[in-house]
Amino acid sequence: MDAWKIKDGKELRIAISGKSGCGNTTVSGLLAKTLGIKLINFTFRQLAEEKGMTLAQVIEAAKTDDSYDKTVDTRQVELAKKESCVLGSRLAIWMLKEADVKIYLLASDELRAKRILKREGGDLAEITAFTKMRDGEDTKRYKALYGIDNNDYAGTANLIVDTAVNVPEQIVENILIELEKRGFVERKAS
């Protein structure tokens, strides 16, 4: 992969969203590393660790307690406003109004479940069912809390990427080429 940098004198905030298993964490981390900027990816998973809970317990608690979502979402946006960064989260493209570029990552339900299985182990049927339940719960909460339909990303995202087509490094390279076209980044001189 080529070496890239943000154009001199510019700040760049990139928001990347996608459902669980779309490659959001991988792509966001690789993009932030390539550009040498901060990755912000504070999720229910990190909140569960902070609170000494399981992810399933946090998801269950969030059904009736809005503070879980608001804690995660508020903390991410506050951090993202401070400096150039990649914010990777389910709602990044909607919540970070200041984002210079908003990217939505797509993958089929089947591929997402297989990726989660590879990452976490377990049983594919159980993961598929859990992921479907989680998607539904997320969508309900986002609509209730913020009036956001996370299934309606086309009007919000500047770039929609099908992550089934390429490996993460190629996805990041394609994003960088798009950022270059938009005048945000340039290739470093060798």
Side-chain angles (χ1 to χ4, degrees):
M1 191 180 309
D2 288 340
W4 295 82
K5 68 175 192 155
I6 296 172
K7 285 194 169 179
D8 291 339
K10 289 195 180 241
E11 283 196 354
L12 178 60
R13 286 169 188 80
I14 302 165
I16 301 180
S17 293
K19 294 182 179 179
S20 181
C22 279
N24 197 345
T25 302
T26 302
V27 170
S28 296
L30 193 53
L31 182 60
K33 183 178 178 186
T34 302
L35 289 172
I37 58 178
K38 186 172 189 162
L39 168 65
I40 300 170
N41 186 337
F42 188 79
T43 65
F44 270 3
R45 191 174 306 282
Q46 284 80 29
L47 186 62
E49 287 173 19
E50 266 187 20
K51 292 184 169 286
M53 299 168 71
T54 67
L55 176 59
Q57 288 171 324
V58 168
I59 291 169
E60 188 60 33
K63 290 179 185 178
T64 56
D65 184 348
D66 295 346
S67 71
Y68 288 87
D69 279 289
K70 290 182 178 176
T71 296
V72 167
D73 298 332
T74 301
R75 193 174 310 174
Q76 292 181 126
V77 171
E78 286 171 354
L79 290 168
K81 286 181 179 180
K82 291 181 180 180
E83 62 190 297
S84 290
C85 65
V86 176
L87 172 60
S89 79
R90 303 267 186 281
L91 294 180
I93 67 170
W94 292 276
M95 299 298 284
L96 186 59
K97 309 272 189 246
E98 300 80 0
D100 297 294
V101 179
K102 299 176 180 183
I103 301 164
Y104 192 84
L105 304 179
L106 286 175
S108 70
D109 293 349
E110 180 183 346
L111 178 58
R112 292 169 47 227
K114 285 179 180 175
R115 287 177 177 166
I116 294 167
L117 174 68
K118 185 177 178 184
R119 179 178 73 208
E120 299 173 11
D123 176 75
L124 184 59
E126 288 177 14
I127 290 169
T128 301
F130 180 79
T131 302
K132 183 177 176 134
M133 177 279 298
R134 183 177 182 188
D135 289 346
E137 290 300 324
D138 286 351
T139 297
K140 274 193 262 183
R141 281 195 334 278
Y142 303 154
K143 282 181 181 176
L145 279 171
Y146 305 115
I148 293 170
D149 179 353
N150 67 324
N151 294 308
D152 183 16
Y153 46 82
T156 304
N158 306 111
L159 187 60
I160 299 169
V161 179
D162 183 347
T163 64
V165 178
N166 291 304
V167 296
E169 292 79 8
Q170 187 58 54
I171 292 166
V172 169
E173 187 72 19
N174 292 343
I175 291 169
L176 289 163
I177 290 166
E178 183 63 30
L179 293 174
E180 182 181 39
K181 286 179 191 169
R182 292 170 183 251
F184 292 113
V185 301
E186 60 192 7
R187 294 170 203 264
K188 288 183 181 176
S190 321

